[in-house]
Amino acid sequence: MIKEKGILFILSGPSGVGKGTVRKALFDQSTDLRYSISMTTRAPREGEVDGIDYFFKSRDEFEQLISEGQLIEHAEYVGNYYGTPRQYVEQTLEEGKDVFLEIEVQGALKVRENFPQGVFVFLIPPSLEELKDRIVSRGTETEEKVKNRLLAAKEEIDMMDAYDYVVVNDKVESAVNKVKAIVASEHCKRERVSHQYKKALEADQS
Amino acid sequence: MIKEKGILFILSGPSGVGKGTVRKALFDQSTDLRYSISMTTRAPREGEVDGIDYFFKSRDEFEQLISEGQLIEHAEYVGNYYGTPRQYVEQTLEEGKDVFLEIEVQGALKVRENFPQGVFVFLIPPSLEELKDRIVSRGTETEEKVKNRLLAAKEEIDMMDAYDYVVVNDKVESAVNKVKAIVASEHCKRERVSHQYKKALEADQS
């Protein structure tokens, strides 16, 4: 059997849609996916742990890593940097394991430039109204911050066309099941697997 | 919400690979898929029921239906006709329900001409050797029929490129789960759903 590379899965979507919740619920279950932890300069929210939810860095540290080319992508979002460390992703894919990223829309678009063969999943709320409710009910933001976030979200929804799949986050369990279905079905894509079977057929014809 | 058409799923693959077993196991579970029963002139195998496994027809009856244009596709295979009645498929898709076909490779290729937007799944055994074992162990065929079947199977594997997905039938349960994952993920394909969200976004901007 030919050694196959892993598949890169990217979960993204508007701010406040619940990417982190879906990702956590997915990884609470048994999965063969490897999670690539993002890096950020934003302050940890309550309950978030450095090295598990994010690698939390200062602005200086982050800019140092950018200049060293150690990030696949980075973006500034609502005044903070977010980025994806390069080495873990490339090495894990090379080992034949799937990698899972949970990142902002700007970052996802940059990953697409570097990894066009990646599988891009856009998480979306049942309606923009519900998105607004969720952002407001987070309760830790000023009104202006909420307004900015919402404006950004509307722009991001227009970016849906750059993605392969759209998953509604109506219920976390349902969204997780859809992401799992996407992972399973991508492994059955003909263009990914047909050459393996053709090799087997050739071997049988000897 | 815009009324959406259903998706046409086609399960196909080499003779003897176990298409019927996978299809039955799939429909033994709860599913929203509607099964389109095929028509054939071959004799029922033990346990097969007219109107459930196939519509069993005489050669004269079958040729009458062909001439009336009542079949989406038909093919002659190992001396028998197989075909897909048109009305059920078109009407059910129009009602927004997914339709599931289980058909021979020749027929699947003809369906692809009429329904290029269909989702084509190729069921394959772990190896050609295992395919041979399965055909032989069916025990109801003469040696020459087995040889013919195997030759046809090798040709059919070359046809894999016309399909969207390849599912290995190593274990029936595993194959069924993969087919279910493909169905779920196809409903999340961005090109199928993005226009719904864009409409919602437009409505919100009023």
Side-chain angles (χ1 to χ4, degrees):
Chain A
M1 189 62 78
I2 310 143
K3 174 79 175 170
E4 297 294 322
K5 277 196 178 187
I7 303 175
L8 179 62
F9 293 93
I10 297 91
L11 181 69
S12 188
S15 177
V17 74
K19 294 185 289 294
T21 308
V22 169
R23 183 255 304 167
K24 276 177 201 160
L26 175 64
F27 280 88
D28 278 349
Q29 300 179 17
S30 158
T31 174
D32 291 331
L33 297 165
R34 308 297 164 109
Y35 178 55
S36 163
I37 301 164
S38 292
M39 211 167 265
T40 184
T41 59
R42 80 151 165 75
R45 294 199 191 115
E46 202 179 314
E48 287 184 337
V49 178
D50 185 41
I52 292 180
D53 296 287
Y54 284 95
F55 295 113
F56 293 102
K57 299 283 177 189
S58 72
R59 259 191 109 75
D60 282 353
E61 288 170 321
F62 203 102
E63 285 171 354
Q64 175 75 18
L65 291 166
I66 295 171
S67 70
E68 291 170 7
Q70 291 190 32
L71 300 171
I72 291 175
E73 58 79 26
H74 67 276
E76 204 164 354
Y77 193 83
V78 198
N80 287 302
Y81 280 128
Y82 293 80
T84 303
R86 178 183 300 279
Q87 199 195 354
Y88 179 82
V89 172
E90 292 185 346
Q91 193 174 307
T92 310
L93 291 174
E94 207 59 51
E95 289 167 5
K97 292 160 196 154
D98 295 344
V99 174
F100 187 90
L101 300 183
E102 177 229 317
I103 54 179
E104 302 296 329
V105 170
Q106 282 183 58
L109 296 178
K110 287 189 190 163
V111 172
R112 175 128 242 172
E113 288 167 21
N114 285 312
F115 293 87
Q117 73 278 32
V119 177
F120 291 77
V121 180
F122 196 80
L123 195 66
I124 194 170
S127 70
L128 267 185
E129 194 55 29
E130 187 167 338
L131 171 65
K132 191 180 136 199
D133 290 347
R134 288 189 201 191
I135 291 174
V136 172
S137 71
R138 191 181 278 161
T140 54
E141 320 278 355
T142 67
E143 197 179 321
E144 203 196 329
K145 273 193 184 166
V146 170
K147 217 172 156 185
N148 286 342
R149 253 184 222 282
L150 201 62
L151 204 68
K154 285 190 177 182
E155 284 166 8
E156 286 162 335
I157 283 174
D158 284 336
M159 292 176 189
M160 198 187 276
D161 285 346
Y163 289 77
D164 302 300
Y165 296 96
V166 176
V167 167
V168 194
N169 191 17
D170 46 358
K171 290 175 186 176
V172 174
E173 192 192 344
S174 160
V176 167
N177 286 339
K178 283 172 182 165
V179 172
K180 286 167 75 177
I182 290 165
V183 171
S185 76
E186 281 289 328
H187 277 277
C188 298
K189 276 269 183 81
R190 188 256 310 153
E191 61 265 34
R192 290 193 201 277
V193 297
S194 67
H195 59 288
Q196 299 174 11
Y197 294 107
K198 286 183 178 171
K199 285 268 173 193
L201 183 64
E202 282 164 23
D204 191 71
Q205 282 171 338
S206 61
Chain B
M1 191 61 77
I2 309 143
K3 175 77 174 171
E4 297 295 320
K5 278 195 176 186
I7 304 175
L8 180 61
F9 292 93
I10 297 91
L11 181 69
S12 189
S15 177
V17 73
K19 295 185 288 295
T21 309
V22 169
R23 183 254 305 166
K24 275 176 201 159
L26 175 64
F27 279 89
D28 279 349
Q29 301 179 19
S30 158
T31 175
D32 292 331
L33 296 165
R34 308 297 164 107
Y35 177 56
S36 164
I37 300 164
S38 292
M39 210 166 267
T40 184
T41 59
R42 81 152 164 74
R45 296 200 188 115
E46 203 179 313
E48 286 184 339
V49 178
D50 185 40
I52 291 181
D53 297 288
Y54 284 95
F55 295 114
F56 294 101
K57 300 284 176 188
S58 72
R59 258 191 110 75
D60 282 354
E61 289 171 320
F62 203 102
E63 285 171 354
Q64 176 73 19
L65 291 167
I66 294 170
S67 69
E68 291 171 8
Q70 290 188 32
L71 300 172
I72 291 176
E73 58 80 26
H74 68 277
E76 203 163 356
Y77 192 82
V78 198
N80 286 302
Y81 280 128
Y82 294 79
T84 304
R86 179 183 300 279
Q87 198 195 355
Y88 179 83
V89 172
E90 292 185 346
Q91 194 174 308
T92 310
L93 291 175
E94 206 59 51
E95 289 167 5
K97 291 160 197 154
D98 295 345
V99 174
F100 187 90
L101 300 182
E102 177 229 317
I103 55 180
E104 302 296 329
V105 171
Q106 282 182 59
L109 296 179
K110 288 190 188 161
V111 172
R112 174 130 242 174
E113 288 167 20
N114 286 312
F115 294 87
Q117 73 280 32
V119 177
F120 292 76
V121 180
F122 196 80
L123 196 65
I124 193 170
S127 71
L128 267 185
E129 193 55 30
E130 187 167 337
L131 171 65
K132 192 181 135 198
D133 290 346
R134 289 190 201 190
I135 292 174
V136 172
S137 71
R138 192 182 278 162
T140 55
E141 320 279 354
T142 66
E143 197 179 321
E144 201 194 330
K145 274 193 183 166
V146 169
K147 217 172 155 185
N148 286 341
R149 252 184 222 282
L150 201 61
L151 204 67
K154 284 190 179 181
E155 284 167 8
E156 287 162 335
I157 283 174
D158 285 336
M159 293 176 190
M160 198 187 277
D161 286 346
Y163 290 77
D164 302 299
Y165 296 95
V166 176
V167 168
V168 194
N169 191 18
D170 46 359
K171 290 177 185 175
V172 174
E173 191 193 344
S174 160
V176 167
N177 285 339
K178 282 172 182 166
V179 172
K180 287 166 75 178
I182 290 165
V183 171
S185 76
E186 281 290 328
H187 278 277
C188 298
K189 277 267 184 83
R190 187 255 310 153
E191 60 265 34
R192 291 194 200 276
V193 297
S194 67
H195 59 289
Q196 300 175 11
Y197 295 106
K198 287 185 179 170
K199 285 269 175 193
L201 183 64
E202 282 165 22
D204 190 70
Q205 282 172 336
S206 60

